[in-house]
Amino acid sequence: MLTKKQLDLLEFIHKRVQRDGVPPSFDEMKEALDLRSKSGIHRLITALEERGFIRRLAHRARALEIVKLPDALEAKLGGAPSPSGFEPRVIDGDRPDSRPSGARALESGGAIELPVMGQIAAGVPIAAIAEVSHQVSVPSSMVGKGDHYALEVKGDSMIDAGINNGDVVIIRETTTADNGDIVVALVEDAEATLKRYRRNGNAIALEAANPAYETRLFRDDQVKVQGRLVGLIRSY
Amino acid sequence: MLTKKQLDLLEFIHKRVQRDGVPPSFDEMKEALDLRSKSGIHRLITALEERGFIRRLAHRARALEIVKLPDALEAKLGGAPSPSGFEPRVIDGDRPDSRPSGARALESGGAIELPVMGQIAAGVPIAAIAEVSHQVSVPSSMVGKGDHYALEVKGDSMIDAGINNGDVVIIRETTTADNGDIVVALVEDAEATLKRYRRNGNAIALEAANPAYETRLFRDDQVKVQGRLVGLIRSY
DNA sequence: ATCAAGTTGCTTCTTGGTGAGCATCATGCG
DNA sequence: CGCATGATGCTCACCAAGAAGCAACTTGAT
């Protein structure tokens, strides 16, 4: 899957992250691989990204992250593959494989499994968040820090936001939101809806994205934000 | 399932990966099998890929990976069959049906990695399917049989279908479509667009889902279906 | 405004993968 | 036996990708 150079670079990055917690800059990588130009690094990085081993943000310093390690490296260096903020949990026992297979059940490759906690009304509210009905896999790039869960959307009140009936939305648990965010809002401690959030003083507006539905206004003590929309998955 | 040659090659590749962490190039394989031409290797590799033992990226150096090993080899060499961290659970009972030997391609847990083949215009412009830019994980429930890939949507011509600018669409490779399907259509062998497909006699209509765009009509020889929309992933 | 970190264009050279065309050989089948 | 088929082997041609270097340009941060 990888050429020697690519493997070397990946290994270097991995070590740096393990050591410093921060990925190296292009210049540091250039030094490490003994090159005289960053452009070479750029190409190697591109190749690694294309093959799905790292993920990155363009134009951001040190904005790269190892998503997975080839088996060869994983065996060689003991470290956990790292993604999304949880690695310091694995201790090395005598038999490292004692748990990786179980521990990473929810985190294998570039995906994470999230529980689908029932349905949510995008139109008229449905009962609040219920139980886990099943699990979905989502790209780990979709979830950042914090706890997440998924809900199945019922209704069409958010169609203008590109959220259709039957879509699965990925929600990050949070109790705050910024204006314009799409949130899971619990109204009057009874009904949960998916709406766009807008605050004005101590009034909260929950806007649908469908002209057929009206914006509803509440006092801020009537509405509890339960999560913010971070992703969406649809199957045809 | 495999011919002798194919088995030999697979074994060689496996050993090399175990030893170096880097798969051999065609030339190295050629040497190992004592051939005088790479093209033979090419054929063997193709056969192995077809049978699901290896996975690869076309036109990329050493971009190949062993996905599974035939039982014969697995017993012979102790090595792990490779995919993301779970094999130590299978004991050999009398019923090895744990793996029907055709299953689990890149599949780990409930997710599969697919290549993102660049961007597709949902509006006017184009750049036909280009290269792999990176990989995404999608729930395996989203893909059925057949080959799949992903594209990033540019433009807003499908907004009324809930497909926004920046969304990643999952495409199943196929050359046929039913009326109403959303497809990747290659028009005039030049531009690829994501549109709703409708056939009428030997005329094909490509409809946008946005009143600002007009339906375009073509003769059926001007349009080639390259895939059908099966899923969508959006990150906020 | 300035610096550091990334991104790109262009060049050069080497390595590596693709594919057409043709020959050989074993095998299963009437 | 003669033929079709499929797996292999080879040559040759071609072109793409990997790797490296230099330099200029863009972005983000301060």
Side-chain angles (χ1 to χ4, degrees):
Chain A
M1 199 57 159
L2 292 178
T3 65
K4 186 80 179 64
K5 280 288 173 193
Q6 293 162 1
L7 225 205
D8 287 348
L9 179 57
L10 187 58
E11 179 177 349
F12 172 70
I13 295 172
H14 181 257
K15 277 195 199 145
R16 276 313 212 75
V17 173
Q18 294 272 297
R19 205 191 67 191
D20 307 345
V22 176
S25 71
F26 275 39
D27 269 303
E28 290 166 344
M29 295 187 246
K30 182 194 75 185
E31 290 305 322
L33 294 209
D34 199 26
L35 301 190
R36 247 167 287 184
S37 160
K38 287 182 292 182
S39 70
I41 296 296
H42 187 264
R43 269 179 287 257
L44 290 174
I45 289 288
T46 305
L48 286 176
E49 185 180 19
E50 174 182 301
R51 289 162 175 69
F53 288 90
I54 63 174
R55 185 151 50 89
R56 58 196 303 260
L57 298 174
H59 294 286
R60 289 291 186 301
R62 296 165 195 260
L64 95 192
E65 178 183 40
I66 293 183
V67 173
K68 67 181 181 196
L69 287 175
D71 304 321
L73 271 194
E74 203 161 340
K76 186 174 166 189
L77 326 161
S82 116
S84 324
F86 20 141
E87 72 299 348
R89 76 199 131 152
V90 179
I91 330 294
D92 40 355
D94 34 354
R95 253 295 58 198
D97 75 317
S98 47
R99 52 198 307 251
S101 63
R104 291 210 307 275
L106 302 204
E107 235 286 17
S108 54
I112 291 184
E113 301 236 327
L114 294 179
V116 179
M117 313 292 284
Q119 306 183 326
I120 186 164
V124 230
I126 304 191
I129 294 167
E131 318 211 319
V132 180
S133 70
H134 58 287
Q135 306 271 133
V136 271
S137 292
V138 308
S140 52
S141 56
M142 194 181 277
V143 309
K145 282 187 82 73
D147 289 325
H148 295 74
Y149 57 91
L151 294 170
E152 188 183 338
V153 173
K154 282 292 152 198
D156 59 355
S157 79
M158 297 301 285
I159 47 171
D160 285 353
I163 301 172
N164 295 0
N165 186 19
D167 290 356
V168 172
V169 289
I170 313 304
I171 307 292
R172 152 139 70 252
E173 282 192 56
T174 173
T175 53
T176 61
D178 296 325
N179 278 348
D181 285 352
I182 295 175
V183 301
V184 174
L186 183 64
V187 178
E188 311 271 25
D189 279 324
E191 39 175 87
T193 53
L194 189 67
K195 289 279 163 54
R196 197 176 291 280
Y197 175 95
R198 213 167 288 280
R199 178 177 207 116
N200 205 319
N202 54 2
I204 289 176
L206 297 181
E207 308 173 348
N210 180 338
Y213 292 80
E214 296 189 356
T215 294
R216 304 202 300 167
L217 282 169
F218 299 93
R219 288 191 321 275
D220 56 5
D221 62 328
Q222 291 175 292
V223 175
K224 287 204 193 85
V225 172
Q226 297 203 309
R228 199 156 53 80
L229 176 64
V230 298
L232 180 147
I233 291 180
R234 179 186 306 155
S235 286
Y236 287 85
Chain B
M1 192 60 158
L2 290 180
T3 66
K4 179 87 177 60
K5 278 291 172 190
Q6 291 164 1
L7 225 190
D8 287 348
L9 179 57
L10 189 57
E11 178 177 350
F12 171 70
I13 295 173
H14 180 257
K15 277 194 200 145
R16 276 313 213 73
V17 173
Q18 294 271 296
R19 206 191 66 192
D20 307 344
V22 175
S25 70
F26 277 37
D27 266 303
E28 291 165 347
M29 296 187 244
K30 181 195 74 185
E31 292 304 324
L33 294 208
D34 199 26
L35 301 188
R36 244 165 287 185
S37 162
K38 289 181 290 182
S39 70
I41 297 296
H42 188 261
R43 244 178 314 197
L44 291 175
I45 289 288
T46 305
L48 285 175
E49 185 179 19
E50 219 173 65
R51 291 164 176 69
F53 288 90
I54 63 173
R55 189 167 58 94
R56 58 194 304 256
L57 297 176
H59 299 286
R60 288 293 184 292
R62 296 165 193 257
L64 95 193
E65 179 180 44
I66 293 185
V67 172
K68 66 181 181 193
L69 287 175
D71 304 328
L73 270 193
E74 203 161 342
K76 184 174 167 190
L77 326 160
S82 112
S84 320
F86 6 156
E87 72 298 344
R89 79 198 126 151
V90 179
I91 328 294
D92 41 354
D94 36 352
R95 255 296 55 203
D97 73 333
S98 48
R99 217 183 319 142
S101 118
R104 106 176 208 271
L106 213 242
E107 243 228 65
S108 58
I112 292 184
E113 301 226 332
L114 294 180
V116 179
M117 312 292 284
Q119 308 184 328
I120 187 167
V124 215
I126 314 312
I129 293 171
E131 319 206 316
V132 181
S133 72
H134 60 288
Q135 311 267 136
V136 271
S137 294
V138 307
S140 50
S141 57
M142 194 180 277
V143 309
K145 281 187 81 71
D147 288 326
H148 296 73
Y149 57 92
L151 294 170
E152 189 184 340
V153 173
K154 282 293 152 197
D156 58 356
S157 79
M158 298 302 285
I159 47 173
D160 286 353
I163 301 172
N164 295 1
N165 186 19
D167 289 357
V168 172
V169 289
I170 313 303
I171 308 293
R172 154 143 62 250
E173 281 192 58
T174 173
T175 53
T176 61
D178 296 326
N179 278 347
D181 284 352
I182 294 174
V183 302
V184 173
L186 182 65
V187 178
E188 311 272 26
D189 280 326
E191 42 174 86
T193 51
L194 189 67
K195 289 280 163 55
R196 198 176 291 280
Y197 176 94
R198 212 166 289 281
R199 177 180 208 113
N200 205 321
N202 54 3
I204 289 176
L206 297 180
E207 308 173 348
N210 180 339
Y213 292 80
E214 295 191 355
T215 294
R216 303 203 298 166
L217 282 170
F218 298 93
R219 288 191 319 273
D220 55 5
D221 61 327
Q222 291 176 294
V223 174
K224 287 202 194 84
V225 172
Q226 298 204 310
R228 208 173 74 235
L229 176 64
V230 298
L232 180 146
I233 292 181
R234 179 185 305 154
S235 286
Y236 287 87

